[in-house]
Amino acid sequence: MKEEIENALRMIWMLNEDGKDVEERQIEEKVLKEMIDSDLVLLSQGKVNLTERGKKEAEKIVRLHRLAERLLTDILGIREGVEEHACRFEHVIDDEAEEAICTLLGHPEICPHGRKIPPGSCCLKNEREVERVIFRLSELSPGDEAEIKYIVADEEESKILLSAGIIPGVKIKVLRVYPAFVIQIDNTQFAIDKRLADCINVIKKV
Amino acid sequence: MEINEKILSERLGIPVVKTVAIERKGILELKEAIKQALSREFHPVMKIKFSRAIEKQISEIESLIEKDYRMNRRAIAILLLLGDYDILELLKREKNFSKIKEKVSIARFSVLPYEVLREIHENAERLLDGVVVYRETKHGLLKKISDLSLNPYFSLPLAFASLAFVYFFAGFLGAQILVDVIETAFEENINAPLNKVLAIYVPNYWIRELIGGEYGIVTLGLRYAVAIILPIVTTFFIAFSLLEDSGMLPRISYLLDTLFKKIGLSGRAAIPLLLGTGCGTMAVVVTRILESRRERIIATLLLAVGIPCSAQLGVMIGIAPDIKALLIWIFIVSLVLIATGTAASKILPGESPIFFMELPPLRVPSVKNVIYKTLSRLEWYVKEVMPIFVMISVLIWIGRITMVFDLLIAALAVPAKAIGLPAEAGKILLYGFFRRDYGAAGLYDLAEAGVMSYNQIIVAMVTLTLFVPCVAQFSVMCKERGLKTSVMIFLLSILIAFTTGYITYNLLKVVG
């Protein structure tokens, strides 16, 4: 598939995600025609709607884009120009690489901007064949040391974690996991429940 | 840890004073420095520097803000990028308010709040480089206990021991010994002479009753506040402050979190609920430490329904005919509390609470701190609760003049009879709302007179505990939770009290 078509699919899907309709005029004529011809979209009353096939394709592209964002920020530690990199990345990852990346990241559900990553078949199987690098804090055991890589949290949870300085890049030590989680950061100990421990994704120190 | 304040002062461009707040070290020097600083002008040299991307966002937001605030615009912009949306409220009157809002929400896509925070941390580290020297601390006995205290097998007994200590201190020393001494002195030296003087100089019965008599402002209001509640809450506050200062409270919260989640609360709620066994009124105020409104309502509900305050606890223990009766009472009240919490957490909308708490290291409580904390709590008590007791006397006075009380007592006698209590229990319940120990003391008289059987005493103990909170607690509830919620909780506790009383009565009849 051509890049222009992939980009158009992604745009339509993301606008739909926000509950917005897509007008005919928002898409280049040539691209639109090609999309209709390959049964990716349907036109009705000036609005562009994804077909079942189109939806599937679009979902895959969005998924790749957001996985790429995760990979670039969490693992490779790239801070600037993530968006452009991800845009190029999404067109070159093949199915096998996609599953490997997804498993490596621990089947993340949300991109760094807080948007949902559409699940792939590997997530549904919850595969753990590729050795996992990213763990949730809630999966660690007492004595484990780790570095926080990313946090997936709602506004309330983020506020608490942020105000305590529990943010990516911080090194933690797990002291206890029952009856609640106790972690140590520098000389300070925090008790947190499973809900918060689930939000924190880390790389274990070996 | 060692701090070189000279370098820090140079880097910041402002005076730096070393203090240790809990030991009150350097406080005087700090005051002096502030006094001097007021007459001088400073040019802070240190500025937090961010990366290009963040600086760009900051200046863009900054340029949209037009008015002047106590904080500078740059600081406001940084807070907005950190995701502090409360600060948006402050900007409501800005001409560009909608633009600012939009800008902030878009900014989140290029600069995540934590990235801003991380850069602030990096700035701080740069600033402190060479200023702070850490030294390995000795791993003393306290450190070992501190680590051990995270283990439930060790900390549960430790928690129980601390609670036992609180009860020995407040329940025994305060509620029994001190109350006895002070109340007798009050009755002998104030009530008796006052009533004599009133009998001679005030011919009008109702005016005499307003000040003296059985329910007067001095003879009931002040006596209750000064001679009964004050010694109990003072000892309780001392014990509670010791617990707080030692670092035990957060550990108790941590231990109880899993259990509390089942009743819609987080472990944090252990603090107000525990405080509630001292004074429910203060505990309602302390529910403020809970994160969500939902949690605050559940905690207020439990405090109102069945957490007995120290005044109530003392008398209940006093009137229980034997240990078995006391255990039945504890069992039923706990069961009702658990059921109420479980039901409330199912019915009230909202997400389950989040538990988050810093665990400070355990330490030997400092005497100064304990005194300071106790005094500030007592100050609150004297200012907020004492006047309510005076008001209660006036209310009782009005109620008696207008005969409203007789009506209410007659009305309460109906459900009281239904749960197998003598008709006099109606009066006990009504006065129990105004002064919790009176209800229980009335119960004691009834039991002594042989009017009530063993089973009836248990039923009365349960009902009186679950019955409405005292008037002081109710008025604070209205202030903290609003009138509507408080009235609902009030009515609910009447319903729960009588329903439980009825079930207890019938169960005991069957069991024998």
Side-chain angles (χ1 to χ4, degrees), chain A residues 113 176 179 189 191 193 195, chain B residues 150 258 261 352 355 357 359:
Chain A
H113 304 118
R176 289 206 65 89
Q189 293 177 355
D193 60 6
R195 179 166 159 197
Chain B
L150 297 173
T258 317
K261 284 277 164 62
S352 66
F355 177 62
M357 203 163 222
L359 298 178

Side-chain angles (χ1 to χ4, degrees), chain A:
Chain A
M1 216 180 297
K2 280 190 199 153
E3 266 195 44
E4 293 129 310
I5 292 182
E6 287 185 344
N7 285 340
L9 277 173
R10 179 157 63 89
M11 184 190 95
I12 299 170
W13 193 93
M14 282 175 72
L15 283 167
N16 288 342
E17 185 187 24
D18 288 339
K20 286 182 193 132
D21 283 329
V22 184
E23 311 274 340
E24 197 180 330
R25 57 178 172 74
Q26 282 173 281
I27 298 168
E28 222 179 301
E29 208 177 308
K30 206 177 85 203
V31 177
L32 187 62
K33 190 176 173 301
E34 211 175 324
M35 283 167 88
I36 296 172
D37 289 344
S38 18
D39 187 32
L40 292 169
V41 294
L42 282 174
L43 268 185
S44 84
Q45 297 167 339
K47 295 208 170 75
V48 185
N49 296 316
L50 290 170
T51 61
E52 274 311 309
R53 180 157 175 256
K55 237 181 240 169
K56 235 182 194 166
E57 291 293 336
E59 217 162 71
K60 197 171 158 193
I61 293 155
V62 172
R63 174 173 155 74
L64 287 174
H65 182 87
R66 291 181 180 170
L67 276 178
E69 283 178 341
R70 278 252 86 106
L71 181 72
L72 291 164
T73 49
D74 301 341
I75 307 287
L76 305 179
I78 294 173
R79 287 210 211 168
E80 277 176 43
V82 170
E83 186 63 29
E84 295 99 88
H85 283 302
C87 276
R88 267 178 277 149
F89 228 99
E90 71 191 38
H91 307 293
V92 295
I93 305 177
D94 61 21
D95 290 358
E96 210 167 296
E98 173 208 319
E99 288 199 3
I101 291 169
C102 188
T103 312
L104 176 81
L105 293 168
H107 306 287
E109 285 164 19
I110 285 171
C111 81
H113 304 118
R115 286 169 174 266
K116 239 184 135 209
I117 300 176
S121 53
C122 65
C123 306
L124 302 174
K125 279 188 275 172
N126 205 10
E127 259 176 38
R128 278 150 210 261
E129 279 160 20
V130 176
E131 199 178 325
R132 277 177 61 195
V133 177
I134 297 271
F135 289 89
R136 288 182 180 185
L137 177 59
S138 55
E139 293 170 310
L140 300 186
S141 321
D144 281 351
E145 287 180 45
E147 185 183 322
I148 300 177
K149 272 299 165 188
Y150 61 95
I151 283 166
V152 181
D154 64 22
E155 206 177 302
E156 203 187 347
E157 294 156 351
S158 320
K159 221 175 175 175
I160 295 174
L161 294 174
L162 207 59
S163 66
I166 301 177
I167 54 172
V170 167
K171 291 184 181 63
I172 58 154
K173 187 175 175 193
V174 180
L175 298 181
R176 289 206 65 89
V177 295
Y178 180 84
F181 293 84
V182 178
I183 56 170
Q184 180 154 344
I185 298 177
D186 292 333
N187 285 314
T188 316
Q189 293 177 355
F190 296 102
I192 57 177
D193 60 6
K194 178 150 190 314
R195 179 166 159 197
L196 283 177
D198 273 338
C199 299
I200 305 168
N201 294 273
V202 302
I203 286 186
K204 241 202 296 196
K205 210 168 116 186
V206 260

Side-chain angles (χ1 to χ4, degrees), chain B residues 135-346:
Chain B
R135 270 205 234 125
E136 269 305 300
T137 42
K138 276 178 278 166
H139 286 243
L141 182 67
L142 255 169
K143 171 89 172 69
K144 278 197 190 114
I145 298 176
S146 214
D147 290 345
L148 260 177
S149 73
L150 297 173
N151 184 331
Y153 295 109
F154 180 77
S155 55
L156 267 178
L158 193 66
F160 275 117
S162 351
L163 291 187
F165 162 74
V166 172
Y167 284 109
F168 171 76
F169 208 68
F172 181 69
L173 187 69
Q176 293 182 25
I177 298 174
L178 279 179
V179 169
D180 207 35
V181 173
I182 300 177
E183 207 196 358
T184 316
F186 198 96
E187 296 259 7
E188 280 169 6
N189 300 315
I190 297 179
N191 280 9
L194 179 76
N195 281 334
K196 259 187 217 149
V197 172
L198 285 174
I200 299 168
Y201 295 104
V202 183
N204 185 306
Y205 172 76
W206 284 114
I207 293 181
R208 260 193 338 250
E209 284 292 300
L210 178 63
I211 302 162
E214 204 179 336
Y215 308 103
I217 292 176
V218 175
T219 45
L220 182 138
L222 275 187
R223 178 175 63 87
Y224 194 48
V226 173
I228 298 176
I229 303 296
L230 195 61
I232 298 177
V233 293
T234 308
T235 44
F236 183 84
F237 287 161
I238 292 173
F240 193 80
S241 306
L242 280 171
L243 215 55
E244 194 179 29
D245 208 52
S246 66
M248 263 318 282
L249 284 182
R251 284 174 172 74
I252 293 175
S253 298
Y254 147 79
L255 273 177
L256 292 175
D257 182 57
T258 317
L259 284 177
F260 272 34
K261 284 277 164 62
K262 299 200 162 60
I263 53 171
L265 293 170
S266 75
R268 205 172 259 263
I271 295 170
L273 293 189
L274 195 62
L275 195 54
T277 58
C279 171
T281 311
M282 171 164 244
V284 172
V285 179
V286 172
T287 56
R288 281 181 200 164
I289 64 158
L290 302 177
E291 299 273 346
S292 69
R293 200 182 113 80
R294 180 173 181 267
E295 258 186 289
R296 276 178 236 144
I297 291 180
I298 296 177
T300 309
L301 175 69
L302 294 182
L303 284 167
V305 168
I307 304 279
C309 72
S310 51
Q312 236 180 349
L313 268 173
V315 197
M316 289 298 172
I317 293 167
I319 64 161
D322 57 16
I323 282 284
K324 196 180 112 197
L326 205 59
L327 289 179
I328 297 176
W329 171 70
I330 292 174
F331 177 74
I332 295 174
V333 171
S334 318
L335 208 65
V336 170
L337 281 175
I338 293 168
T340 310
T342 313
S345 70
K346 293 256 155 59

Side-chain angles (χ1 to χ4, degrees), chain B residues 7 33 59 93 172 202 214 239 302 336 386 433 476 478 488:
Chain B
I7 306 181
S59 62
R93 297 234 181 84
F172 181 69
V202 183
E214 204 179 336
L302 294 182
V336 170
M386 287 264 218
F433 171 55
V476 173
C478 293
M488 295 251 284

Side-chain angles (χ1 to χ4, degrees), chain B residues 50-64:
Chain B
F50 292 100
S51 62
R52 248 198 5 246
I54 293 177
E55 285 292 351
K56 186 171 156 259
Q57 300 291 342
I58 292 173
S59 62
E60 278 176 33
I61 295 176
E62 218 182 323
S63 67
L64 288 171

Side-chain angles (χ1 to χ4, degrees), chain B residues 32-92:
Chain B
E32 193 53 39
I34 293 172
K35 224 180 275 169
Q36 282 182 11
L38 285 176
S39 54
R40 275 199 308 186
E41 227 178 84
F42 293 103
H43 303 283
V45 282
M46 176 68 191
K47 197 180 163 195
I48 300 179
K49 289 186 198 82
F50 292 100
S51 62
R52 248 198 5 246
I54 293 177
E55 285 292 351
K56 186 171 156 259
Q57 300 291 342
I58 292 173
S59 62
E60 278 176 33
I61 295 176
E62 218 182 323
S63 67
L64 288 171
I65 302 172
E66 287 181 343
K67 290 193 167 67
D68 283 312
Y69 300 92
R70 275 167 64 192
M71 241 182 297
N72 68 39
R73 290 173 193 156
R74 181 179 161 88
I76 294 175
I78 293 171
L79 280 173
L80 286 172
L81 287 177
L82 277 170
D84 183 343
Y85 300 121
D86 297 338
I87 205 101
L88 265 181
E89 289 294 303
L90 189 78
L91 302 178
K92 253 192 172 146

Side-chain angles (χ1 to χ4, degrees), chain B residues 364-378:
Chain B
V364 178
S366 105
V367 179
K368 272 187 191 163
N369 278 346
V370 172
I371 294 174
Y372 179 74
K373 281 178 183 166
T374 308
L375 284 181
S376 63
R377 290 200 167 104
L378 281 177

